Amino acid sequence: MEHIISVTVENKFGVLSRVAGLFSGRGFNIESLSVAPTLDPSMSQMTIVTSGDERIIEQIVKQLNKLIDVIKVVDLNETEFVSRETAIIKVHTKDADRAEALRIVDIFRANVIDSTPNTYTIEVSGDPKKIEAIINLLQPLGIKELIRTGRVAVAREPVRSTAIQAKKVARD
Amino acid sequence: MKLTGAEIFIECLKREGVKTVFALPGGVVLKIFDTLYQQKDIEVILTRHEQGAGHMAEGYAKATGKAGVCLVTSGPGMTNVITALADAYMDSVPVVCFSGQVPTNLIGNDAFQEADNVGLSRPCTKYNFLVKDVNDLAATIKEAFYIATTGRPGPVLVDIPKDVSMAKAEFTYPNSVSIRGYNPTYDGNKWQIKQAAEAIMKAKKPILYVGGGVIFSGASQELLELAEMTQIPVDMTLMGLGAFPGEHLLSLGMLGMHGTYQANMAIHYSDLVIAIGARFDDRVTGKVSEFCPYAKVIHVDIDPTSIRKNIHVDIPIVGDCKTVLRELNQILRATVNGEQKDLRKPWWDQIREWQQAHPLTYHQEKDGPIKPQQVVKRLYELTKDRDPIVSTDVGQHQMWAAQYFKLAKPNRWLTSGGLGTMGFGFPAAMGAQAAFRDRLVLCIAGDGSVQMNMQEMATAVVSKLPVKIIILNNGFHGMVRQWQDLFYEGRYASSYLDTTPDFVKLADAYGAVGLRVKKVGDLDAVLKEALATDKPVIVDVPTYPYENCYPMIPAGGCNHEMILEDPPELKKKQSGAAKVTPEDKDTVLTA
């Protein structure tokens, strides 16, 4: 099962390779990994998307915690969380395709961030399903390049009443 | 006053109580060696190979319980010490290794003798540092010792570029260390400990399964109290030997692949496994899915990742063995009464039955070839009053040593368990001897293993480390040969050593003493002569080459399904070789 693990680490050189080395050395999967400094510049936040059964995820969380540069590990699957991913897609666009591309951009609330006579560069952000959907629609036009950030995620703030929480979940 | 990086290094070591450094110089660490040369507080033991330095630091650490320290140069110095670091990492040995590095402005330029020391050692150290600024050096060394010796111990590397050892800085040594991502848990969860106590009170067939964690935690006394109070039998892992007295009535000896019959049967049929400072290694569990199938499992370990890594645990307790056992004993003292003894009588009857049915056996003919077990047994009997420290290499001799050398106390047993490093024993023994100059230090070795760090004999002679090496010389990589006989139809692919050096002459060439046992009747006399010598000694004991180590659980087998003796076809094959001495091995192999 897929798990999103949020890891707070020391922001210093070598930490990324310690985390990556842990995953490769112990044969754990990494589907995506994103990392950037937090508000406190001495720390970085990693979002790791991984998969495995309960026992493997338990080991991943424990092994991450064991790393001396790791300050905090949260398996977001144990709570409610929201996640987003950004993709930048360079699409071949000629003549009539240009209007079609813009329609798709519009539908997905994406943005054209660069344009040439033959291409559009489109930025889109959302959950992975949305990214997959826009990719599928743009594919017939001819995708020249595609780059995805991998997911970032954050736990939802607890809501006072469980009823409200249920509603929110339903709306999503 | 400002000090150079090299001087800061030495001041830090003094404050950590380091008396001995195992080291080999090179270009980028010359400043450090030059500064060490000009002081008298820290002894430098010059090794002949960096791997030796690393294992000596391990031996020192295992025997003293304090961090062992080694110092190597950049590039090949670092790559050579990697094996020892990997070994220390697997067996949780506190070692602090200092490596030289090319000057900071050359890092990444493929400079002469440059290697990415931090990158190389990352997967085989608990933590590692590259010190880029001399102002950070003291704090880094403090952290290195702190990390190596606290929590689950392990090796730590500090990489010091040449310019950092030469630059000057104001020296202040921090009093304490605070690392926000590193806070080992020492106190076990009270509720869990209570659960454990209740399970222990109720169990009809309990067994204690204890490992190296008990030794590093210094919990032997607490373990003894627990076992005696509750009358629970004790299985020890290879790393745990010495944690509990080997001759104690409650001791069932070592468990696992070459463990005793009773130790393996008891853990298989028990209804409560109390694991303390052990990690359910595959050499202990055999087939994981059928390991202790009837038991509830209590697991005490300071490393949370050890718990539920290999097997399901019912009552996990993360904490220091000593602290947890103290608390557990306190609860049990108030509740234990005579009833447990009655409750467990059938269990003990069963265990005694197992013990009697299949004790460790071998057959030594009076005029026949020397059996390796006989050598270990006699060595044990001749030295046990002197409370020796014993090291081993890896292979058959290691297992026979584990079976027949019944250690009474912790920190006497130096062996490479997790990594299984041949060549570990001799330098590790030297490290222990460097820590305890007056003690008797024995190294039980095989003729294959011992050659992997033989060069250190020069170190032993020059640094006056009178280790006694007893080589069980069977002319084979014996354990490989045993597996080939059992599982590869007797094809001895690369296991026959064909020619081994004359170890007596070799010892002589180094300026040590070499002795040989020619026949079994001479064994005691030669061993006694070796023990009475105050120099390093090699005792070469040519042994029966086809002796196999039993009991044996084949890899992936179940603990209660042990091979107890040579299968009939093997016996038949070897009956023709029964009278063979190593001198005419060739004829045996072609016969």
Side-chain angles (χ1 to χ4, degrees):
Chain A
M1 191 192 157
E2 184 185 276
H3 278 245
I4 301 189
I5 298 174
S6 180
V7 191
T8 312
V9 299
E10 297 285 351
N11 180 14
K12 54 187 187 190
F13 76 93
V15 177
L16 178 59
S17 59
R18 287 181 206 277
V19 172
L22 165 65
F23 276 76
S24 63
R26 295 195 177 267
F28 301 142
N29 289 319
I30 295 187
E31 248 144 70
S32 74
L33 185 156
S34 87
V35 53
T38 63
L39 269 181
D40 174 351
S42 75
M43 293 191 274
S44 286
Q45 191 71 37
M46 286 185 183
T47 307
I48 301 172
V49 180
T50 182
S51 58
D53 60 27
E54 196 191 331
R55 199 177 59 88
I56 288 171
I57 298 297
E58 181 181 329
Q59 266 298 309
I60 290 174
V61 170
K62 282 176 169 179
Q63 293 284 358
L64 281 167
N65 263 313
K66 190 172 159 180
L67 290 180
I68 284 161
D69 287 326
V70 168
I71 299 160
K72 193 178 170 193
V73 183
V74 180
D75 178 3
L76 288 171
N77 288 48
E78 290 183 354
T79 60
E80 293 289 332
F81 65 92
V82 282
S83 74
R84 288 291 180 271
E85 180 176 10
T86 294
I88 298 177
I89 310 162
K90 204 183 276 175
V91 195
H92 288 291
T93 48
K94 277 188 185 163
D95 309 330
D97 287 351
R98 289 180 78 84
E100 172 65 7
L102 289 180
R103 270 195 296 273
I104 295 169
V105 165
D106 200 33
I107 292 164
F108 281 87
R109 278 176 285 165
N111 295 308
V112 176
I113 55 173
D114 190 29
S115 162
T116 69
N118 294 326
T119 61
Y120 278 139
T121 302
I122 296 163
E123 173 223 11
V124 63
S125 141
D127 66 29
K129 273 185 196 148
K130 178 176 166 184
I131 309 267
E132 293 295 333
I134 190 168
I135 289 170
N136 285 340
L137 283 175
L138 289 172
Q139 208 132 32
L141 306 183
I143 292 176
K144 196 174 176 213
E145 258 183 274
L146 163 72
I147 183 117
R148 298 171 70 160
T149 58
R151 260 173 288 171
V152 291
V154 70
R156 280 176 185 273
E157 273 304 298
V159 190
R160 273 185 210 96
S161 139
T162 47
I164 297 172
Q165 196 168 12
K167 230 189 244 171
K168 271 192 140 181
V169 174
R171 203 169 57 214
D172 287 343
Chain B
M1 201 183 78
K2 288 195 167 185
L3 301 181
T4 65
E7 287 164 343
I8 291 173
F9 167 81
I10 289 164
E11 287 306 314
C12 292
L13 257 52
K14 279 195 220 165
R15 279 168 179 69
E16 290 296 332
V18 175
K19 298 269 191 296
T20 311
V21 174
F22 304 97
L24 207 158
V28 297
V29 281
L30 278 180
K31 179 70 183 169
I32 296 177
F33 275 82
D34 188 53
T35 313
L36 278 166
Y37 190 73
Q38 296 173 53
Q39 55 82 50
K40 291 213 159 60
D41 297 317
I42 297 168
E43 182 190 17
V44 176
I45 292 187
L46 166 65
T47 68
R48 263 50 178 180
H49 189 291
E50 286 87 353
Q51 188 191 350
H55 291 320
M56 286 180 214
E58 284 188 87
Y60 182 97
K62 285 190 186 205
T64 60
K66 290 186 226 155
V69 178
C70 56
L71 168 63
V72 302
T73 193
S74 60
M78 181 64 212
T79 54
N80 278 345
V81 83
I82 287 278
T83 302
L85 293 179
D87 188 90
Y89 191 49
M90 281 290 246
D91 287 346
S92 314
V93 188
V95 166
V96 180
C97 175
F98 294 92
S99 59
Q101 182 55 276
V102 299
T104 42
N105 64 326
L106 289 182
I107 290 178
N109 281 15
D110 297 328
F112 176 65
Q113 291 195 330
E114 181 183 358
D116 175 7
N117 292 357
V118 165
L120 282 168
S121 60
R122 187 177 300 123
C124 58
T125 51
K126 186 171 170 189
Y127 198 65
N128 57 18
F129 300 89
L130 168 62
V131 185
K132 283 187 168 166
D133 182 345
V134 68
N135 291 296
D136 298 337
L137 184 59
T140 304
I141 294 176
K142 177 86 185 172
E143 284 186 17
F145 276 91
Y146 176 73
I147 292 171
T149 53
T150 52
R152 177 175 176 179
V156 176
L157 177 90
V158 183
D159 195 25
I160 306 176
K162 184 181 180 187
D163 53 326
V164 171
S165 68
M166 303 187 75
K168 287 189 169 186
E170 217 44 73
F171 173 67
T172 46
Y173 202 56
N175 290 323
S176 62
V177 175
S178 162
I179 304 168
R180 56 184 165 180
Y182 179 66
N183 298 297
T185 308
Y186 287 90
D187 294 331
N189 180 299
K190 284 189 189 316
W191 191 80
Q192 293 288 76
I193 295 175
K194 221 174 132 219
Q195 295 294 303
E198 277 171 26
I200 289 171
M201 291 297 288
K202 274 187 270 176
K204 288 190 184 120
K205 303 176 182 179
I207 181 112
L208 279 154
Y209 152 50
V210 305
V214 173
I215 294 174
F216 280 120
S217 159
S220 291
Q221 201 51 46
E222 287 75 9
L223 173 66
L224 185 67
E225 187 190 345
L226 172 65
E228 287 185 340
M229 173 166 57
T230 54
Q231 289 293 304
I232 297 179
V234 181
D235 273 8
M236 281 174 273
T237 69
L238 179 66
M239 303 312 297
L241 292 174
F244 191 79
E247 288 201 343
H248 198 287
L249 275 174
L250 297 172
S251 164
L252 305 187
M254 182 175 74
L255 84 165
M257 186 174 270
H258 292 286
T260 64
Y261 184 75
Q262 64 269 19
N264 285 327
M265 292 302 274
I267 198 153
H268 184 81
Y269 289 104
S270 78
D271 65 354
L272 180 71
V273 170
I274 309 153
I276 303 172
R279 62 185 177 89
F280 295 90
D281 175 80
D282 58 273
R283 285 299 192 260
V284 160
T285 60
K287 193 175 185 178
V288 173
S289 57
E290 287 173 44
F291 179 67
C292 60
Y294 316 105
K296 209 172 169 174
V297 177
I298 300 171
H299 192 179
V300 183
D301 204 295
I302 198 155
D303 178 3
T305 68
S306 287
I307 293 171
R308 285 209 202 101
K309 182 165 64 182
N310 300 334
I311 69 142
H312 176 77
V313 174
D314 301 282
I315 306 177
I317 303 174
V318 177
D320 172 50
C321 296
K322 192 183 180 88
T323 318
V324 171
L325 285 187
R326 269 194 187 161
E327 195 149 335
L328 183 62
N329 285 347
Q330 205 179 342
I331 299 173
L332 289 170
R333 240 176 267 139
T335 42
V336 164
N337 49 38
E339 283 171 33
Q340 287 74 41
K341 208 170 178 180
D342 299 339
L343 187 69
R344 287 165 199 161
K345 187 165 180 309
W347 178 229
W348 271 108
D349 291 343
Q350 172 70 73
I351 288 171
R352 296 298 177 218
E353 210 172 284
W354 285 326
Q355 254 168 340
Q356 274 157 20
H358 298 287
L360 292 171
T361 53
Y362 63 97
H363 181 62
Q364 175 66 60
E365 281 174 49
K366 204 165 159 253
D367 301 315
I370 305 170
K371 290 296 179 77
Q373 300 95 323
Q374 176 76 4
V375 183
V376 178
K377 186 163 168 273
R378 286 308 299 153
L379 185 65
Y380 167 61
E381 286 162 358
L382 290 171
T383 59
K384 65 176 172 183
D385 294 337
R386 289 176 65 181
D387 190 18
I389 293 169
V390 188
S391 82
T392 76
D393 271 314
V394 171
Q396 283 185 318
H397 72 274
Q398 178 190 31
M399 293 299 115
W400 284 316
Q403 289 174 341
Y404 290 93
F405 214 104
K406 299 185 194 307
L407 294 141
K409 292 178 189 165
N411 302 100
R412 268 68 171 170
W413 176 245
L414 322 174
T415 199
S416 169
L419 198 66
T421 311
M422 290 168 69
F424 168 89
F426 181 32
M430 289 165 61
Q433 187 82 74
F436 299 105
R437 295 274 180 175
D438 303 332
R439 297 266 296 274
L440 174 63
V441 183
L442 306 169
C443 169
I444 300 175
D447 51 318
S449 287
V450 78
Q451 293 185 68
M452 287 203 182
N453 270 318
M454 199 66 238
Q455 78 284 347
E456 298 306 335
M457 186 52 97
T459 312
V461 171
V462 172
S463 300
K464 299 193 166 54
L465 301 168
V467 169
K468 312 290 179 273
I469 309 178
I470 292 85
I471 301 176
L472 306 183
N473 185 349
N474 56 11
F476 278 101
H477 284 305
M479 192 58 93
V480 175
R481 202 263 314 132
Q482 174 167 345
W483 281 53
Q484 287 169 336
D485 266 330
L486 291 169
F487 312 118
Y488 294 87
E489 295 167 352
R491 288 183 297 276
Y492 296 155
S494 302
S495 59
Y496 178 48
L497 294 170
D498 211 345
T499 170
T500 42
D502 181 328
F503 287 111
V504 174
K505 283 188 186 158
L506 191 62
D508 192 44
Y510 276 112
V513 176
L515 303 169
R516 180 169 292 122
V517 182
K518 294 210 175 87
K519 54 184 198 293
V520 70
D522 298 344
L523 184 59
D524 278 23
V526 177
L527 288 178
K528 278 181 190 160
E529 189 185 344
L531 295 170
T533 309
D534 58 2
K535 279 185 171 182
V537 182
I538 291 181
V539 183
D540 182 27
V541 193
T543 55
Y544 175 59
Y546 299 98
E547 189 70 11
N548 286 335
C549 184
Y550 297 110
M552 177 178 190
I553 304 167
C558 290
N559 279 23
H560 66 304
E561 292 166 350
M562 285 163 268
I563 307 175
L564 294 168
E565 56 176 12
D566 283 333
E569 66 278 9
L570 198 56
K571 269 189 188 160
K572 204 171 142 197
K573 183 182 157 196
Q574 288 172 5
S575 63
K579 299 278 185 216
V580 171
T581 56
E583 278 82 58
D584 37 41
K585 248 173 262 170
D586 286 347
T587 53
V588 183
L589 287 167
T590 49

